[in-house]
Amino acid sequence: MNRRWKSKKSAWVAFIYMVGSKTRKTEVNAMITQEKINGILEGYGKDLKIATLCSHTALQIFYGARQEKIKTIGICTKERMKLYESFPLAKPDEFIVVDDPKEIPADELVARNAVLVPHGSLVEYFGKKLENLAVPILGNRNSLLWERDREKMFEWMKNAGLQIPKTFKPEEIDRPCMVKFSGARGGRGYIIVNSQEELDSRVPDQTGITIQEYLIGIRVYPHYFYSPLSRHGYRAGEGKVELMSMDRRVESNIDEAYRLWAVGLTSKPAFTIVGNEPFVIRESLLTGVMEMGKGVVESADRLFGGIPGPFCIEMICDENLQLSAFEISARIVAGTNLYPGSSPYSVYTHGPGMSTGRRIATELKQAAKEKKLAKIVF
Amino acid sequence: MNRRWKSKKSAWVAFIYMVGSKTRKTEVNAMITQEKINGILEGYGKDLKIATLCSHTALQIFYGARQEKIKTIGICTKERMKLYESFPLAKPDEFIVVDDPKEIPADELVARNAVLVPHGSLVEYFGKKLENLAVPILGNRNSLLWERDREKMFEWMKNAGLQIPKTFKPEEIDRPCMVKFSGARGGRGYIIVNSQEELDSRVPDQTGITIQEYLIGIRVYPHYFYSPLSRHGYRAGEGKVELMSMDRRVESNIDEAYRLWAVGLTSKPAFTIVGNEPFVIRESLLTGVMEMGKGVVESADRLFGGIPGPFCIEMICDENLQLSAFEISARIVAGTNLYPGSSPYSVYTHGPGMSTGRRIATELKQAAKEKKLAKIVF
Amino acid sequence: MNRRWKSKKSAWVAFIYMVGSKTRKTEVNAMITQEKINGILEGYGKDLKIATLCSHTALQIFYGARQEKIKTIGICTKERMKLYESFPLAKPDEFIVVDDPKEIPADELVARNAVLVPHGSLVEYFGKKLENLAVPILGNRNSLLWERDREKMFEWMKNAGLQIPKTFKPEEIDRPCMVKFSGARGGRGYIIVNSQEELDSRVPDQTGITIQEYLIGIRVYPHYFYSPLSRHGYRAGEGKVELMSMDRRVESNIDEAYRLWAVGLTSKPAFTIVGNEPFVIRESLLTGVMEMGKGVVESADRLFGGIPGPFCIEMICDENLQLSAFEISARIVAGTNLYPGSSPYSVYTHGPGMSTGRRIATELKQAAKEKKLAKIVF
């Protein structure tokens, strides 16, 4: 709290006012510039806080930040506050209560030196608003655009050299295909069709859908963390990619469908993610897993300026041990919630006690110390 | 070991003799009074021990007690002693060897200042004898009655505001239904019937059965701990309910039935629980999970004087993320055995190292210290 | 580095040269003698290192050794080095780079005081060469022979008193049977046949196959560690067997086959192991699990001189809670990779932080200190 800090703070409060007013416009399409975000970050100094929406992976993010002694801010609806208050070691230091989880309290966040950590629910609720939001976001906000737009994602996966499922136009469907809708919706509403007729009858509005070959094998979800700053990990671009952990998603009702059949019941398959279970992959496949992570990192560098922070490649391992990707999540995924303490992979880099939530905090701390926040926040 | 303790001890030995003789009667229906249990507890002073039957979750309970420096007593048949002796950090400090696991050595337990921790096997073996057993039991022994009697359990679940499966009388069966038999039998013998005819032919003796609609979704088993003493957790009644951990049960042969079908085999579905696997639920469902826990706690307060200690609500999450309960376990469940070290949820309240077994020990310690044992032991 | 050590070293270097040259012959059938291995071990003194092939469970083995401050050597192909270099706490202290993972650099290993830790990939790649390899191997190399030869394994399982599946000659097949091929191949290529005709048409070369009844139930894989030195654990032979952890294997595509069916797809079942998920078994089954481990240990004593170190009994638990074994792995299994930190079972013997990889290191340390290496290394 010395004078230098004070003056910076004032300068920045003025600055924010201006930016903040911008975000109140209903339609803004241009993305905010890195310069503006850097300006905000300069105002923060070293004393930054971690903010996120109270959902998805927020407990892990808050707990990890607390382990690193970084203050936290929970953007929270009133009805959820009781939950987040009830975990003494994972509750945010401060709440910003919102009526609608789709409203981002940009001004309040910047006034508190907050870096926003995006997760699946936050991306789903805030949507395109994140593009020109005048709040520093952990990672590269461009990646969220590439994640949301299925055509861009396919371009990204191809550019990364990943083996991916065949995609079809409606008129090309000649085998069972998965139909996905735009946005992260936790798997809700995915359907399988066998023909264009079935597609037309079941999906009247085909805007933004993706039609993918249904891949046969075991689903595997490795959780990566890309750091342009770290000295440890799997070389990728100018930094390192780390394997934090791994899970398999559990979807209702498909993942207990066999129990129904066994007792003479049937039901339409549904793919709503309800949770996660731990998993480790055959060690001989790890080189492939890491090369895929490296491919995604370096492709992100080429296509839109990089993907610092956590991400996930959703993949299938077939019976010949071939790994195919069917999606990228350009942010922390919920499977990491299995490992707020330790994981069977992060111990090999950090020893016990390193979660993805905590890794975010250590990365921010290091970047702040080395004055490299602009490398990992935009 | 001061004089006050000594005199109390003597008074209580005499008292016990009387009660102990009572338990030898074949038919005793009246429940022992809280006053009598309190009398026994007063005799204990602060120097109490934790006792349980060597089965189910005993290793975790002993290990947790040892972490809190509370001495333990294992009620054990001869054939199981070798197992429990083989774990240096989870073996009880002392064994009471019994010929028949259905015999409770009440006198010996009280003579050792024991608080009995009930678990699934203990409840199954001791059955109605627990009602008037002159040994302090962790939790409220009334809850074990409500757990065992399926009509009472349904009343409890309804009173708690839980969404529950439709129940049927035999003549009402119009869809696949699960038939459950009374008592905790680890899932053994559950069957599915589609009609009254099928029920009559497969279940000649229908005493005590429950007929429930078969719910479609993913089974989820959150492990709760309700403390009337704690300052941390989710407000419920006059205390707090904590989320300790979560699992999914693995049942033989139903949970690998699909493997049979794939190779051209069929078999009658069976639901014998053989073990557990870890699970975390979508964070956005946690408020619902905790509200259900709160409902069960407050309903227990209203109906039979509360449910201090560990419990579980067996639930199904459907494709629309609706949570329905199909059972309550009014004591520690075996799924907690996955987490004798840490769990992805207990870290948020206690940091690393807190199991349900250890949580029992910390609660007893706190209650003894604050002279509130009567609040959590009956 | 005193003189005594030096002179021993020289003697042993000469000795090794001789043995080393032997391994270069194309056909060597005789097994190396325990005396020769003891001679090598004497040369090592206390200063031994742990070596293994960079695959399977190598990260866990290196990490565990590092926790015990034992230096490690990774036998590694060039293409895998990047992976093993990328984990700062699990990378070997030194690499021996090989062009072909089937080549064992025996001389270099002995020159570095290495004890070789065998795992599934190492056993698969090195095969019969392990028999007369002039490098000390953790455990008893005889056990690897018994593991590889399916007839011997059945003799072993029977001698151990395990309940095992019925085996068939081709002409006896009268029900769905699993056909297994010799060697550890990670489950790849296992098939199910219903008749001799099907067998003949699908398996033209029937050399070394085993035909087993397909068991119905849940697969369970307990990970044991047998120590002739330890004071803690389940008494077996002259030592103790410990339960380290447990898993269930995940196989592609069989373990997601039901997902295919639900969406109208079919596929030939395949059983390629792609990874592992955690599991704990009903505590009442643990005595059975430990007795099976004891049976395997004592039978190994009788048949071929014992099985010190890690092993696994692959088993099925049926709906009546009967445990049947269908295989023994006479070395560390990949399911232990779930627990490089702690496991829900090893905590009861060692407290937090004991993996099978680390347990290997502690055993070697103790044996070296007590001059009992010959008891656990051959």
Side-chain angles (χ1 to χ4, degrees), chain B residues 36 62 106 134 174 181 184 198 204 251 255 269 360 366:
Chain B
K36 288 191 182 166
F62 296 145
D174 64 354
F181 303 91
E198 198 181 343
E251 295 167 1
D255 281 317
I360 289 170
Q366 186 186 348

Side-chain angles (χ1 to χ4, degrees), chain B residues 102-154:
Chain B
K102 289 176 185 160
E103 284 305 314
I104 320 174
D107 296 5
E108 285 118 299
L109 287 171
V110 172
R112 285 163 176 78
N113 288 13
V115 172
L116 191 62
V117 176
H119 53 53
S121 306
L122 189 145
V123 168
E124 188 186 340
Y125 286 141
F126 292 176
K128 277 184 70 66
K129 289 181 197 167
L130 288 174
E131 288 181 45
N132 72 339
L133 182 74
V135 181
I137 295 177
L138 177 84
N140 173 359
R141 70 183 71 199
N142 280 295
S143 70
L144 301 173
L145 297 186
W146 284 71
E147 176 193 70
R148 186 175 34 213
D149 181 322
R150 294 212 172 264
E151 291 214 4
K152 277 193 155 68
M153 179 176 298
F154 266 82

Side-chain angles (χ1 to χ4, degrees), chain C residues 65-183:
Chain C
R66 180 180 291 257
Q67 289 177 297
E68 296 298 320
K69 303 197 191 334
I70 297 182
K71 296 285 181 194
T72 53
I73 299 160
I75 306 165
C76 199
T77 55
K78 239 180 200 148
E79 56 180 21
R80 291 238 175 126
M81 273 192 63
K82 186 176 170 188
L83 179 75
Y84 286 87
E85 278 174 329
S86 76
F87 293 104
L89 305 180
K91 73 177 168 197
D93 292 291
E94 188 182 356
F95 285 100
I96 298 181
V97 183
V98 292
D99 291 331
D100 178 352
K102 289 177 185 160
E103 284 305 313
I104 320 173
D107 297 4
E108 284 116 301
L109 287 171
V110 172
R112 285 163 176 79
N113 288 12
V115 172
L116 191 62
V117 176
H119 54 54
S121 305
L122 189 145
V123 168
E124 188 187 340
Y125 286 140
F126 292 176
K128 276 184 70 66
K129 288 182 196 166
L130 288 173
E131 290 182 44
N132 73 339
L133 182 74
V135 180
I137 295 177
L138 176 85
N140 174 358
R141 71 183 71 198
N142 280 294
S143 71
L144 301 173
L145 297 186
W146 283 71
E147 176 193 70
R148 187 175 34 212
D149 181 321
R150 294 213 171 263
E151 292 213 2
K152 278 194 154 71
M153 178 176 298
F154 266 81
E155 190 190 332
W156 185 7
M157 293 200 287
K158 278 183 210 159
N159 190 291
L162 305 181
Q163 186 158 328
I164 54 177
K166 201 166 144 51
T167 53
F168 293 86
K169 291 179 187 152
E171 61 273 21
E172 294 169 343
I173 300 173
D174 65 353
R175 68 195 75 179
C177 285
M178 191 159 224
V179 181
K180 295 181 173 181
F181 302 91
S182 53

